[in-house]
Amino acid sequence: GGELLIDLSIIIVSYNARADLERCLESLHSPAPSIAHEIIVVDNQSTDGSAATARRWPGVKVIEAGSNLGFARGNNLGIRASTGTSLLLLNSDTIVPPGAVDRLIAELNRHPDAAVIGPRLVDGRWRAELSFGPMLGPVTELRQKLLFRGQVNGVPVLSGIVERATRQPHAPGWVTGACLLVRRRDAEEVGLLDERYFMYTEDVDFCAAIRARGRKILFTPDVEIVHLRGRSAASAPAETRRAYRQSQLAFYGKHHPGWAPLLRLYLRLRGFHHKGH
C-alpha cells in the first residue's frame, strides 16, 4: 500500500566486470545523486564475485539473473523490479561525475515532449564517443562505423567530426543504452526493450519504438559521463561479434525487411554463419 514513489531507478546490468562495477557504484556514491533514487544491479550470472561486491553497498538492490540474459532481458528484469518515475539504464563500465545524474534529470524535465535523453560520453582521455545517431539503415550504419572507427583510431578529420557533433544539443534517432534516461511511462508504453536482441542495437530499436509514438529522443552535450567501453565484450570477441551480427539481422528484418536478404548474403560472403534460434 504505502509505496514510496521515487524519482529515479538506476539499472546496471553487469556481466563479469567486477572492477568496472565497483568503480561505477563508487562514482554513484561520491556524492550520491540528490534526487530520491534507487540502484538496482542485475547480475547476469557473473563468476567473478560481482554480485557479492555490489551487495557491499547497503542501498544497492542486487538481482541475480541465474544465467546470462544479455542486455535487453537483463534491463527489463531490473525495470520490472524498480519503482522510479524515470529509469536510467547505465553500463557498468561508466563513471558518473558528481551532479551528472541530477543535471540529466533536470534536462529531461525541461522537455515534456521528450521520452529519452542521453548525455555526452567521453573515454578515459576525455575524447568524445559517438553515442547517438540517425535511425539505422545501410548507409547511416556505414557512416556511423566509419566515424566510430576513425574516432577510436584517432584519425584527425573523423575525430573532428565526432567532436563537433557531440557539442550540439539535438534530437537524434537514438542514443546509446550505455547511459540512457527514459521516463517509465514511455518505456512501458513500448513494452520495454525488445528481448530478441541479446546485445547491440536494442537501444536503437527501443528509441525507434518510442519515436514511432511521436515522442522525442534528446542528446545533451551539457552532461558528461565517462565510458571506459567494453570490458565484458573484450573478454569474448568471437561471441561478441556473433551477438552483434545476430542483433543486426534481427534489426534489419524488423525495420528494413527489404535489405535483410542482402545483409544475410553479405554476411555469408564474409564467412559469418547465422545460427537461427
Side-chain angles (χ1 to χ4, degrees):
E3 270 291 289
L4 188 66
L5 266 190
I6 55 169
D7 296 317
L8 177 68
S9 300
I10 299 172
I11 293 158
I12 304 169
V13 175
S14 184
Y15 176 62
N16 282 341
R18 189 175 106 200
D20 288 345
L21 179 62
E22 214 159 342
R23 203 176 36 222
C24 178
L25 289 171
E26 186 64 56
S27 75
L28 284 168
H29 285 81
S30 52
S34 59
I35 53 165
H37 68 286
E38 64 180 349
I39 299 174
I40 296 175
V41 171
V42 179
D43 184 66
N44 268 339
Q45 209 182 22
S46 300
T47 50
D48 64 354
S50 291
T53 297
R55 283 204 180 87
R56 294 217 304 268
W57 276 272
V60 174
K61 182 196 268 185
V62 178
I63 299 173
E64 296 197 46
S67 65
N68 186 2
L69 301 180
F71 186 81
R73 281 177 67 195
N75 267 302
N76 286 351
L77 189 66
I79 291 169
R80 291 192 185 104
S82 74
T83 61
T85 315
S86 294
L87 309 163
L88 179 65
L89 309 186
L90 191 64
N91 268 21
S92 62
D93 58 2
T94 55
I95 298 173
V96 181
V101 171
D102 292 302
R103 291 209 312 283
L104 198 58
I105 287 270
E107 200 52 46
L108 182 61
N109 289 341
R110 282 184 35 217
H111 298 92
D113 58 334
V116 167
I117 191 166
R120 186 172 196 264
L121 295 187
V122 293
D123 67 12
R125 287 151 56 187
W126 298 97
R127 293 178 307 182
E129 176 184 324
L130 194 57
S131 59
F132 55 80
M135 183 58 190
L136 266 193
V139 179
T140 54
E141 188 169 17
L142 201 63
R143 176 180 166 274
Q144 196 81 7
K145 274 212 179 88
L146 196 68
L147 288 172
F148 185 78
R149 295 236 169 91
Q151 174 69 333
V152 171
N153 301 326
V155 180
V157 56
L158 297 176
S159 302
I161 295 174
V162 172
E163 202 52 49
R164 281 193 300 280
T166 61
R167 291 282 177 210
Q168 307 300 321
H170 65 289
W174 55 271
V175 295
T176 176
C179 182
L180 181 154
L181 178 65
V182 60
R183 299 178 201 273
R184 172 184 290 279
R185 197 187 63 239
D186 287 295
E188 285 176 348
E189 277 182 356
V190 298
L192 308 186
L193 293 161
D194 187 331
E195 300 193 355
R196 270 181 290 189
Y197 303 105
F198 182 72
M199 58 194 285
Y200 302 115
T201 67
E202 65 290 281
D203 43 10
V204 180
D205 180 86
F206 183 59
C207 289
I210 285 172
R211 276 179 43 242
R213 304 183 69 95
R215 304 281 285 147
K216 265 199 349 234
I217 311 295
L218 295 181
F219 166 79
T220 176
D222 303 333
V223 181
E224 283 188 330
I225 302 275
V226 179
H227 185 210
L228 299 169
R229 228 202 325 275
R231 301 297 153 85
S232 38
S235 61
E239 281 172 54
T240 299
R241 226 175 12 252
R242 181 171 301 116
Y244 175 73
R245 290 301 183 203
Q246 286 177 340
S247 292
Q248 202 182 19
L249 283 166
F251 186 88
Y252 276 83
K254 180 171 167 180
H255 297 280
H256 303 283
W259 282 91
L262 276 174
L263 178 65
R264 271 198 296 276
L265 180 68
Y266 163 75
L267 293 177
R268 200 171 305 130
L269 294 172
R270 290 274 310 268
F272 172 80
H273 299 292
H274 174 60
K275 294 183 186 60
H277 291 299

